[in-house]
Amino acid sequence: MHCGPPDMVCETKIVAAEDHEALPGAQKDALLAAAGAMWPPLPAAPGPAAAPAAPPPAPGPQARGGAGGADPPEGRGVYIREFRAAEQEAARRIFYDGIMERIPNTAFRGLRQHPRAQLLYALLAALCFALTRSLLLTCLVPAGLLALRYYYSRKVVLAYLDCALHTDMADIEQYYMKPPGSCFWVAVLDGNVVGIVAARAHAADNTVELLRMSVDSRFRGRGIAKALGRKVLEFALAHHYSAVVLGTTAVKAAAHKLYESLGFRHMGSSDRHVMPGMTLSLAERLFFQVRYHRYRLQLREE
């Protein structure tokens, strides 16, 4: 199976700017202030100072753009820093759990976004009644259709996960921490990784993708996802990029409200998006649909 860069959770492109000072002063100051305020400063801990973070992997600190820094004291709330090799399995677990949540969301909640599928299912139920004149069988049709939607949603999502877990998520340090312009951050609470987000550069068109944003379900509602998103905005400002463009197949309204709260504008959606793992078979077309949304945050006037 060909596995391209997966984009089910979150995909962002950041277009490079020639001149960082081209950003209007008021807008630039506002964005920098928002980025600086994304997480309250942690109070100093009594006793010895925390040990500095391990040196970032090649190509050095300038490739990261303020993503790392020394660790605040453990047990002092959530903070975001660069990924470390020992956190590979924790990051993979958070990513896996977040993607598995997409199965029921896509199968059931996602149906509301596809009126043609709803109409087709209603016609199938009507046809069943016309042929059998049985209310019992007709009532079983919707249950069977939903079961098929769950089956195909699970099939596609598991194929997508297989691609991701055998490509970039198989070796986060090699894939994100070593190439110039790429990075992987973790949100840490009480010494445990509770959230992840990645950025990866594309030298051909001088863009960066934001990937793999996910937060442990036990720690949602604390602003962790917003802090992870703002970390990417800091990265964009520090590296002189002009716009952040976000694409997502998320079904939950909370995800879209998060993007809007970060300053993104919705730029349109498409029902023709093909995810890694999709076969485009007739059955899959009937029982698995996904809507791809595009967002954009402009950092400077072009």
Side-chain angles (χ1 to χ4, degrees), residues 108-207:
F108 306 135
R109 290 187 181 184
L111 181 58
R112 294 179 295 181
Q113 298 178 348
H114 301 281
R116 285 188 293 183
Q118 295 178 40
L119 177 60
L120 175 62
Y121 297 165
L123 290 175
L124 289 174
L127 179 62
C128 176
F129 180 75
L131 294 175
T132 65
R133 297 297 175 179
S134 169
L135 287 175
L136 177 60
L137 289 177
T138 303
C139 291
L140 290 176
V141 168
L145 293 172
L146 289 177
L148 286 169
R149 285 186 64 87
Y150 184 88
Y151 171 80
Y152 281 99
S153 293
R154 180 179 175 83
K155 178 176 178 290
V156 172
V157 168
L158 289 178
Y160 166 83
L161 272 171
D162 185 66
C163 284
L165 294 174
H166 287 85
T167 53
D168 60 308
M169 295 302 289
D171 191 344
I172 294 171
E173 185 172 15
Q174 179 68 33
Y175 201 88
Y176 289 109
M177 302 306 295
K178 292 184 178 181
S182 298
C183 196
F184 196 102
W185 295 275
V186 295
V188 180
L189 174 64
D190 297 332
N192 299 312
V193 174
V194 297
I196 59 173
V197 70
R200 185 182 62 184
H202 293 279
D205 56 1
N206 202 23
T207 64

Side-chain angles (χ1 to χ4, degrees), residues 7-284:
D7 52 18
M8 187 170 185
V9 179
C10 182
E11 178 184 42
T12 301
K13 289 189 177 180
I14 306 175
V15 185
E18 295 90 20
D19 183 7
H20 183 252
E21 298 305 322
L23 183 65
Q27 185 182 2
K28 175 182 172 185
D29 292 344
L31 284 168
L32 286 171
M38 72 175 180
W39 210 256
L42 294 168
Q62 288 191 353
R64 305 296 176 230
D71 287 355
E74 300 291 346
R76 293 286 179 169
V78 180
Y79 62 97
I80 296 175
R81 59 159 169 77
E82 290 178 12
F83 166 85
R84 296 170 183 170
E87 295 159 343
Q88 171 80 25
E89 290 308 313
R92 282 166 56 94
R93 176 188 58 79
I94 291 173
F95 171 71
Y96 178 91
D97 291 346
I99 293 298
M100 288 299 288
E101 292 179 13
R102 295 298 180 91
I103 295 174
N105 287 334
T106 302
F108 306 135
R109 290 187 181 184
L111 181 58
R112 294 179 295 181
Q113 298 178 348
H114 301 281
R116 285 188 293 183
Q118 295 178 40
L119 177 60
L120 175 62
Y121 297 165
L123 290 175
L124 289 174
L127 179 62
C128 176
F129 180 75
L131 294 175
T132 65
R133 297 297 175 179
S134 169
L135 287 175
L136 177 60
L137 289 177
T138 303
C139 291
L140 290 176
V141 168
L145 293 172
L146 289 177
L148 286 169
R149 285 186 64 87
Y150 184 88
Y151 171 80
Y152 281 99
S153 293
R154 180 179 175 83
K155 178 176 178 290
V156 172
V157 168
L158 289 178
Y160 166 83
L161 272 171
D162 185 66
C163 284
L165 294 174
H166 287 85
T167 53
D168 60 308
M169 295 302 289
D171 191 344
I172 294 171
E173 185 172 15
Q174 179 68 33
Y175 201 88
Y176 289 109
M177 302 306 295
K178 292 184 178 181
S182 298
C183 196
F184 196 102
W185 295 275
V186 295
V188 180
L189 174 64
D190 297 332
N192 299 312
V193 174
V194 297
I196 59 173
V197 70
R200 185 182 62 184
H202 293 279
D205 56 1
N206 202 23
T207 64
V208 175
E209 290 181 288
L210 182 152
L211 301 161
R212 310 311 189 202
M213 182 188 290
S214 188
V215 176
D216 190 315
S217 60
R218 297 169 296 176
F219 302 97
R220 292 173 188 166
R222 305 188 186 193
I224 297 173
K226 180 176 286 190
L228 289 166
R230 283 176 172 170
K231 179 59 70 176
V232 176
L233 302 189
E234 288 185 35
F235 185 85
L237 288 169
H239 288 81
H240 306 185
Y241 298 105
S242 64
V244 181
V245 183
L246 167 69
T248 181
T249 58
V251 174
K252 286 185 176 180
H256 298 275
K257 290 179 180 178
L258 168 65
Y259 309 141
E260 293 169 0
S261 72
L262 287 167
F264 287 91
R265 292 180 57 193
H266 189 256
M267 305 301 292
S269 60
S270 171
D271 291 334
R272 299 182 180 274
H273 179 67
V274 179
M275 289 171 43
M278 291 180 66
T279 64
L280 300 180
S281 65
L282 177 60
E284 195 174 273

